[in-house]
Amino acid sequence: MTGRAWDDAEAEHLTQVTALAERLVTAEDPYEAGLELWGHAGRTAGELAVGMQLIWGFLTDRVELKPEEGQQARAEMRRAAREWLALDLADRAAVEGYLDYWLHDVCGYDR
């Protein structure tokens, strides 16, 4: 992904993810907004969308599959959304760094 500008589909995906992240940060329960974010990523093509689908699938699955970790998972959802909103989305390297951190360091997917 590095070194090129976002294409139209990627730019639209970034816009949608940002809107969902804004909603998630202020939601009473971030789980529902997290599911929406996961679903949106699943309906979108490209590496960026796949990364977001994996991240948000991991976070929402924690709520569903490990109820004892529900509060912690919800806190992680809010943190992921806040960190997304702090990104300069025009900086492709920053977005890639976010994906790398969340996919590998937080979610534990292999590099």
Side-chain angles (χ1 to χ4, degrees):
M1 285 197 312
T2 302
R4 61 180 175 82
W6 301 116
D7 66 26
D8 290 344
E10 291 169 325
E12 176 59 26
H13 180 65
L14 292 170
T15 299
Q16 292 299 316
V17 167
T18 299
L20 290 165
E22 287 171 346
R23 211 164 72 218
L24 189 146
V25 168
T26 60
E28 186 174 323
D29 183 358
Y31 172 74
E32 293 300 323
L35 280 178
E36 286 185 58
L37 213 156
W38 170 77
H40 170 73
R43 294 184 301 274
T44 306
E47 291 178 53
L48 175 62
V50 169
M52 294 302 282
Q53 184 180 22
L54 289 170
I55 292 165
W56 289 96
F58 174 85
L59 293 171
T60 55
D61 280 356
R62 274 185 70 195
V63 172
E64 296 168 13
L65 302 175
K66 298 180 180 181
E68 69 280 3
E69 295 180 13
Q71 287 304 98
Q72 182 183 6
R74 286 173 172 87
E76 285 289 271
M77 287 181 199
R78 289 190 198 282
R79 183 169 75 93
R82 282 192 302 274
E83 288 180 10
W84 177 264
L85 294 171
L87 290 173
D88 173 2
L89 298 180
D91 182 351
R92 196 174 187 101
V95 173
E96 290 172 351
Y98 172 94
L99 291 172
D100 184 73
Y101 171 74
W102 280 94
L103 285 168
H104 307 295
D105 298 336
V106 176
C107 299
Y109 293 106
D110 291 335
R111 282 193 159 76

